[in-house]
Coordinates of all heavy atoms in Angstrom, one line a residue:
N5 N -55.5 11.3 -20.7 CA -55.1 12.5 -20.0 C -53.8 13.0 -20.6 O -52.8 12.4 -20.5 CB -54.9 12.2 -18.5 CG -54.5 13.4 -17.7 OD1 -54.4 14.5 -18.2 ND2 -54.4 13.2 -16.4
R23 N -26.6 -11.8 -14.9 CA -25.1 -12.1 -14.7 C -24.9 -12.6 -13.3 O -25.1 -11.9 -12.4 CB -24.3 -10.9 -15.0 CG -24.6 -10.4 -16.5 CD -23.8 -9.2 -16.8 NE -22.4 -9.5 -16.9 CZ -21.4 -8.6 -16.9 NH1 -21.7 -7.3 -16.9 NH2 -20.2 -8.9 -17.0
T35 N -8.8 -15.1 -2.7 CA -7.8 -14.3 -1.9 C -6.8 -15.2 -1.2 O -5.6 -14.9 -1.2 CB -8.6 -13.5 -0.9 OG1 -9.6 -12.7 -1.6 CG2 -7.7 -12.5 -0.1
A40 N -4.3 -10.5 -2.3 CA -5.3 -9.5 -2.5 C -5.5 -9.2 -4.0 O -6.5 -8.6 -4.4 CB -4.8 -8.2 -1.8
H51 N -18.5 -6.6 -9.3 CA -18.9 -5.2 -9.5 C -19.3 -5.0 -10.9 O -20.3 -4.3 -11.2 CB -17.8 -4.2 -9.1 CG -17.7 -4.0 -7.6 ND1 -18.8 -3.6 -6.8 CD2 -16.7 -4.1 -6.8 CE1 -18.4 -3.4 -5.6 NE2 -17.1 -3.8 -5.5
L80 N 10.9 -6.7 3.8 CA 11.4 -5.8 4.9 C 11.4 -6.5 6.2 O 12.3 -6.3 7.0 CB 10.7 -4.5 4.9 CG 10.8 -3.6 3.7 CD1 9.9 -2.4 3.9 CD2 12.2 -3.2 3.5
E83 N 12.7 -13.0 8.4 CA 12.3 -14.3 7.8 C 11.5 -15.1 8.8 O 10.7 -16.0 8.4 CB 13.5 -15.1 7.3 CG 14.1 -14.5 6.1 CD 15.3 -15.3 5.7 OE1 15.4 -16.5 6.0 OE2 16.2 -14.8 5.0
Y90 N 1.0 -12.3 6.8 CA 0.7 -11.6 5.5 C -0.7 -11.9 5.0 O -1.3 -11.1 4.3 CB 1.8 -12.0 4.5 CG 3.2 -11.8 4.9 CD1 4.0 -12.9 5.2 CD2 3.7 -10.5 5.1 CE1 5.3 -12.6 5.6 CE2 5.0 -10.3 5.5 CZ 5.8 -11.3 5.7 OH 7.1 -11.1 6.2
A97 N -9.1 -7.3 4.6 CA -9.4 -6.1 3.7 C -10.4 -6.5 2.6 O -11.3 -5.8 2.3 CB -8.1 -5.6 3.0
H104 N -19.2 -4.5 2.6 CA -19.7 -3.2 2.5 C -20.2 -2.8 1.1 O -21.0 -1.8 1.0 CB -18.7 -2.1 3.0 CG -18.6 -2.2 4.5 ND1 -19.6 -1.8 5.4 CD2 -17.6 -2.7 5.3 CE1 -19.2 -2.0 6.6 NE2 -18.0 -2.6 6.6
A112 N -28.8 -11.6 -1.3 CA -30.1 -11.7 -1.9 C -30.1 -12.7 -3.0 O -31.1 -13.4 -3.2 CB -30.4 -10.3 -2.5
A127 N -11.2 -20.2 -7.6 CA -9.9 -20.8 -7.3 C -8.9 -20.7 -8.5 O -7.7 -20.5 -8.3 CB -10.1 -22.3 -7.0
L132 N -4.1 -18.5 -10.9 CA -3.4 -17.6 -12.0 C -2.8 -16.4 -11.4 O -1.7 -16.0 -11.8 CB -4.5 -17.2 -13.0 CG -4.9 -18.3 -14.0 CD1 -6.0 -17.8 -14.9 CD2 -3.8 -18.9 -14.8
A136 N 1.2 -15.6 -11.6 CA 1.7 -14.3 -12.1 C 2.6 -13.6 -11.1 O 3.6 -13.1 -11.4 CB 0.5 -13.4 -12.4
L142 N 10.2 -14.1 -9.7 CA 11.4 -14.8 -10.4 C 12.1 -13.8 -11.3 O 13.4 -13.8 -11.3 CB 10.9 -16.0 -11.1 CG 10.5 -17.2 -10.3 CD1 10.0 -18.3 -11.2 CD2 11.7 -17.7 -9.5

Side-chain angles (χ1 to χ4, degrees):
N5 184 357
R23 299 179 68 190
T35 306
H51 281 304
L80 296 174
E83 291 179 21
Y90 303 111
H104 289 289
L132 286 175
L142 286 176

